[in-house]
Amino acid sequence: MANMTLIQAVNDGLKTAMRGDESILCFGEDVGPKGGVFLATEGLTTEFGKERCFDTPLSEDGIIGTAIGMAMNGLRPVAEIQFQDFIFPAFDQIVSEAAKLRYRSGGQYTAPMVIRTPYGGGIRGGLYHSQSGEAYFAHTAGLKVVIPSTPHDAKGLLLASIQDPDPVLFMEPKALYRAVKGEVPEGEYTVDLSTLRTVREGRDVTIYCYGAMVPVVEKAAAQAKEQRDIDCLVVDLRTLMPLDEEGVLEAAKQTGRVVVVHEAPRFCGYGAEISALIAENCIEYMEAPVKRVTGFDTPFPNTLEHHYLPDDRRVLDAIEAVYDF
Amino acid sequence: MTDMLTVIRPDGATKKGYDAGLSDDGLLHCYRTMLLVRSFDEICLKLQRAGRIGFSIPNRGIEATQVGAASAMRKTDWIFPSYRDFGMALYHGISPVDMMHNMFGNAEDSAKGRQMPVHFSFTEPIHFYSISSPIGTHLPHAVGAAYASKLRGEDTVHLVSFGDGGTSSLGFHSGMNFAAVWKAPVVFLCQNNGYAISCPSDEQTASDGYAVKAEAYGMPHATVDGNDLFAVRQAVSEATERARKGEGPTLIEAVTFRMGGHSTSDDPSRYVPKELFDEWEKKDPVERFRRFLEKKGLWNQTVEDTMRKETLAEIDSAAKIAEKTDKPGLETIFSDVFAEVPGHIRRQGEFLFDLVKRRGEASAGGGEFPL
Ligand SMILES: Cc1ncc(C[n+]2csc(CCOP(=O)(O)OP(=O)(O)O)c2C)c(N)n1
């Protein structure tokens, strides 16, 4: 076990995977000698050579398109998109190609690959270095969407994603890259995709969250306990697609009061899926309407980003609202 | 590499009788603009290091490309800039205070503090189009805007500026293709400054420079010494002339070098060999133009000292004004999404104002921009 930050865990995960399997390679913009703008790929070119970790021309479409070709022909590409905000030139390759290849070829061709990308706010990045686009991708059949929130899960889920037979979009909460630290096992281990993590047990209110919102929710849950003696059950979804639906419903039934938290905008956001799932399957257990705490339905502002992002105040507000309903 | 147009020799001399078409005041305005850019860089670096702004983009090494190109454009023309084009804005009289309002993201910023620093947007005194972070997206915009000008029979030219990295984007290829097919009045200015963040030019493209890419689109092209203000000015002037006559677009590659990191947060020593910096330091574009002015009798140490003092003071005072200006109000989060604020967004605004009353303001985060 070693104590490391989330970004170190990603780096460790990549190195562990590449040491174990020569078909795994990493590429993208500035991932080579510079080691990536967040240093996720630091040291990879030195250890594995330019053939297996390299910079590409500035084209996300090219990065993902070629990754698909590599994946269908025996390699395991782990492509980096520098910021999730810049993934859109590759939207076609992801949505029309990677995600549909297995289906459209009757399983003859597949694209087992990972797209790593930092997402979310917290670095004063304004409109184009802060977005949380998970809903666009979770809506796409054939693409898995994974978002870790701890160093342990970052490495374990990354290794599971690399081994997965299908394309995985691995979204890394950049706000947590250096803000969280934790124990990470050495060498190979995996955290199964489509499993939830119970962050905190509780009987009064269930809160679903993922990525950078997990520590925010933990803080609010602690305040709810301290100030009002409300016990929150906090669930880290960590795989958005395919979702552990039974686990989600189980957690909702335990308290009958639900809050969903994400930093992406609300309208057609991931929270809508969770509330619909609960409404369709266990409305009879509900003691209060589901509450969503989300980013606003606006682009992501720069100077006022801390007002845009859900924080403990807003989560606590929602916890109390469903509790007092 | 293809022949490269050079006008000012390293010692500052030009061919006998060379006329750049600028008055003495015009020449000094070019020099002063380059010094303004240098001062802007210097002060922003200090502000960023002191944590008073989050980020800036250094322009050192590229000043002559920016100013030479800008000098070939009329106030009625449009500029579709990249984020590293401070000199184009300053040349045309966009005020340093207005630019600093953006750097501080305050209430007076033309984009209401919504964008990161260096993402300027102006319509006066010249159209300096709103900068987007995604690389290459603005090339087709310039082509569309040029088509509109052409359709209305105006003689407006649209200059679009981008880096070597930008030539790999989807927008480069569709922009070039559409412009050539439509004979749109566009000047494509590719600033080949050696690197796209850490990616060197020879890993960006296998072609012999960037200008040659125009041939595939059936477009004329020129390669110019980007550290030579007159060379850039001349090539852009020729291109605008052609465009105004209805002869369509041109691709110009300005060969220059980014004399530092990609941004104030980037450490280029991780990937740029020191020898390259040493080599290009000798080709400094501002120094080259200074030598020209000196030969022409327009420069002496007093001119230099006065100008340096003035430009630094101008930028410094701009920064101070901007820093003292209030931050944008919370309502700016919700406006301008649509022409009219829809109900769901209005309600989210009302919720936030009410929340602040009940539970106080959100505390500012401490995150740092990595690049
Ligand atoms: C579509 C897209 N991908 C990635 C980025 C991240 N990024 C910002 S600047 C940059 C390099 C740009 O290089 P170049 O076009 O040569 O311009 P320069 O910075 O050298 O002036 C990259 C990769 C981006 N802004 N947009």
Side-chain angles (χ1 to χ4, degrees):
Chain A
M1 287 278 191
N3 199 268
M4 51 177 90
T5 61
L6 197 147
I7 190 81
Q8 286 168 335
V10 169
N11 184 261
D12 186 40
L14 292 172
K15 285 180 176 156
T16 305
M18 291 175 81
R19 281 174 198 144
D21 181 349
E22 284 205 343
S23 69
I24 297 169
L25 42 143
C26 287
F27 57 96
E29 292 152 14
D30 306 290
V31 303
K34 186 174 163 73
V37 301
F38 292 96
L39 302 182
T41 53
E42 193 170 32
L44 296 194
T45 303
T46 313
E47 182 172 344
F48 303 104
K50 275 196 98 162
E51 248 96 67
R52 291 182 63 202
C53 178
F54 52 89
D55 292 339
T56 65
L58 205 169
S59 167
E60 289 73 16
D61 167 68
I63 293 168
I64 303 303
T66 54
I68 293 170
M70 292 174 187
M72 75 174 73
N73 193 18
L75 297 179
R76 282 280 161 145
V78 182
E80 178 178 301
I81 298 296
Q82 201 165 82
F83 285 87
Q84 185 249 279
D85 311 66
F86 303 138
I87 207 167
F88 300 109
F91 202 58
D92 201 18
Q93 289 292 353
I94 297 171
V95 173
S96 310
E97 303 304 319
K100 295 182 174 54
L101 188 57
R102 180 188 295 280
Y103 198 78
R104 78 158 189 246
S105 69
Q108 294 175 77
Y109 291 93
T110 59
M113 58 191 267
V114 176
I115 304 167
R116 293 182 38 251
T117 191
Y119 86 95
I123 59 159
R124 284 287 149 97
L127 277 77
Y128 302 112
H129 297 83
S130 313
Q131 295 174 80
S132 301
E134 63 273 15
Y136 295 119
F137 298 100
H139 190 65
T140 301
L143 180 69
K144 297 192 176 178
V145 181
V146 175
I147 306 185
S149 72
T150 66
H152 175 275
D153 282 2
K155 180 175 171 185
L157 288 168
L158 180 60
L159 289 171
S161 299
I162 294 172
Q163 289 170 15
D164 199 86
D166 287 306
V168 178
L169 178 66
F170 192 82
M171 297 175 62
E172 299 166 5
K174 67 172 89 81
L176 302 187
Y177 268 156
R178 291 179 174 79
V180 295
K181 269 195 135 183
E183 294 298 321
V184 173
E186 268 152 52
E188 292 263 1
Y189 70 94
T190 54
V191 171
D192 290 344
L193 304 189
S194 301
T195 62
L196 309 174
R197 179 172 74 95
T198 303
V199 181
R200 181 187 175 112
E201 297 281 3
R203 57 188 150 62
D204 297 326
V205 175
T206 304
I207 314 175
Y208 302 97
C209 53
Y210 48 88
M213 286 295 111
V214 174
V216 171
V217 169
E218 285 186 80
K219 196 169 163 194
Q223 290 167 0
K225 175 71 187 163
E226 215 178 279
Q227 297 171 14
R228 298 275 319 269
D229 199 29
I230 304 172
D231 275 317
C232 295
L233 165 61
V234 178
V235 177
D236 177 359
L237 298 175
R238 68 183 180 183
T239 297
L240 304 193
M241 174 55 67
L243 175 68
D244 174 6
E245 294 191 352
E246 287 80 34
V248 168
L249 294 173
E250 200 45 50
K253 289 178 194 166
Q254 278 180 38
T255 68
R257 297 171 196 276
V258 166
V259 175
V260 194
V261 183
H262 54 67
E263 57 184 287
R266 174 168 313 180
F267 199 90
C268 285
Y270 199 75
E273 185 59 41
I274 299 291
S275 19
L277 191 68
I278 291 167
E280 283 172 352
N281 293 285
C282 62
I283 193 82
E284 67 277 20
Y285 289 81
M286 289 297 108
E287 309 276 355
V290 172
K291 266 239 166 249
R292 285 178 286 168
V293 181
T294 66
F296 300 119
D297 288 313
T298 73
F300 198 103
N302 187 52
T303 305
L304 300 177
E305 85 164 343
H306 52 297
H307 294 280
Y308 177 92
L309 283 171
D311 61 0
D312 50 319
R313 269 175 339 150
R314 271 163 73 182
V315 178
L316 186 59
D317 203 56
I319 295 172
E320 292 187 354
V322 297
Y323 185 76
D324 293 337
F325 182 80
Chain B
M1 192 191 274
T2 348
D3 275 353
M4 186 161 83
L5 175 69
T6 302
V7 176
I8 310 176
R9 290 200 290 263
D11 67 351
T14 55
K15 264 209 199 97
K16 229 183 155 65
Y18 182 84
D19 183 6
L22 284 165
S23 66
D24 288 355
D25 280 351
L27 293 169
L28 287 169
H29 179 65
C30 288
Y31 188 61
R32 189 173 192 282
T33 304
M34 292 197 288
L35 294 189
L36 269 179
V37 176
R38 288 242 154 133
S39 302
F40 215 111
D41 274 6
E42 207 175 297
I43 285 176
C44 284
L45 182 66
K46 279 194 200 140
L47 291 170
Q48 191 265 350
R49 290 291 185 268
R52 283 149 67 196
I53 60 172
F55 171 87
S56 188
I57 284 280
N59 298 270
R60 201 174 139 75
I62 329 289
E63 297 93 337
T65 297
Q66 302 173 351
V67 174
S71 78
M73 308 306 291
R74 300 178 184 165
K75 286 270 185 301
T76 46
D77 292 335
W78 287 43
I79 293 173
F80 290 77
S82 88
Y83 43 77
R84 207 187 299 278
D85 281 326
F86 292 34
M88 293 195 195
L90 291 165
Y91 179 90
H92 282 286
I94 287 165
S95 92
V97 178
D98 289 341
M99 291 170 71
M100 279 295 180
H101 284 320
N102 163 270
M103 301 302 297
F104 283 93
N106 64 33
E108 295 294 319
D109 168 31
S110 60
K112 304 178 190 173
R114 293 179 180 135
Q115 286 245 66
M116 274 182 73
V118 316
H119 290 62
F120 306 114
S121 175
F122 300 104
T123 53
E124 292 287 339
I126 191 166
H127 281 98
F128 193 83
Y129 177 60
S130 164
I131 295 169
S132 177
S133 307
I135 298 283
T137 47
H138 62 318
L139 278 79
H141 303 176
V143 178
Y147 185 85
S149 293
K150 185 176 152 154
L151 199 68
R152 286 194 297 263
E154 298 157 0
D155 68 352
T156 310
V157 174
H158 299 257
L159 174 88
V160 55
S161 163
F162 49 93
D164 37 285
T167 62
S168 296
S169 70
L170 300 176
F172 173 80
H173 298 283
S174 25
M176 292 282 291
N177 191 33
F178 277 54
V181 171
W182 292 350
K183 283 202 179 308
V186 181
V187 180
F188 292 91
L189 177 66
C190 173
Q191 305 195 23
N192 175 5
N193 63 18
Y195 283 83
I197 305 186
S198 71
C199 183
S201 243
D202 59 359
E203 291 181 33
Q204 193 66 246
T205 187
S207 59
D208 180 19
Y210 295 91
V212 67
K213 290 177 191 276
E215 290 192 10
Y217 296 100
M219 191 189 295
H221 57 88
T223 303
V224 302
D225 180 342
N227 286 18
D228 175 345
L229 195 146
F230 286 164
V232 180
R233 177 179 159 78
Q234 182 180 318
V236 176
S237 298
E238 285 166 12
T240 56
E241 236 167 81
R242 248 202 318 278
R244 279 189 230 288
K245 280 195 291 195
E247 290 169 17
T250 308
L251 171 64
I252 296 166
E253 173 184 354
V255 181
T256 176
F257 200 74
R258 192 191 76 199
M259 290 299 289
H262 169 73
S263 74
T264 45
S265 325
D266 179 33
D267 173 12
S269 70
R270 289 180 85 98
Y271 57 84
V272 181
K274 191 181 166 299
E275 306 78 67
L276 267 177
F277 282 131
D278 295 344
E279 180 192 327
W280 282 87
E281 186 65 49
K282 293 188 204 115
K283 303 185 196 167
D284 184 74
V286 179
E287 174 60 15
R288 181 122 145 236
F289 197 67
R290 186 199 66 73
R291 289 197 189 116
F292 163 80
L293 292 177
E294 185 176 15
K295 281 209 183 336
K296 208 169 153 65
L298 290 172
W299 182 96
N300 57 42
Q301 196 56 48
T302 319
V303 171
E304 179 77 16
D305 294 345
T306 315
M307 250 193 213
R308 282 204 184 249
K309 228 172 91 192
E310 278 175 12
T311 51
L312 202 62
E314 189 175 341
I315 303 295
D316 190 46
S317 110
K320 291 202 167 101
I321 293 167
E323 188 161 20
K324 277 196 226 113
T325 305
D326 287 342
K327 294 299 175 208
L330 289 187
E331 69 286 353
T332 62
I333 296 177
F334 306 97
S335 54
D336 294 328
V337 182
F338 297 101
E340 265 179 55
V341 181
H344 72 293
I345 297 182
R346 182 173 41 78
R347 283 187 287 280
Q348 289 177 8
E350 286 160 5
F351 160 78
L352 181 61
F353 308 142
D354 179 58
L355 181 84
V356 170
K357 275 192 219 131
R358 290 187 287 112
R359 297 189 186 260
E361 293 240 342
S363 36
E368 265 183 37
F369 201 77
L371 187 86

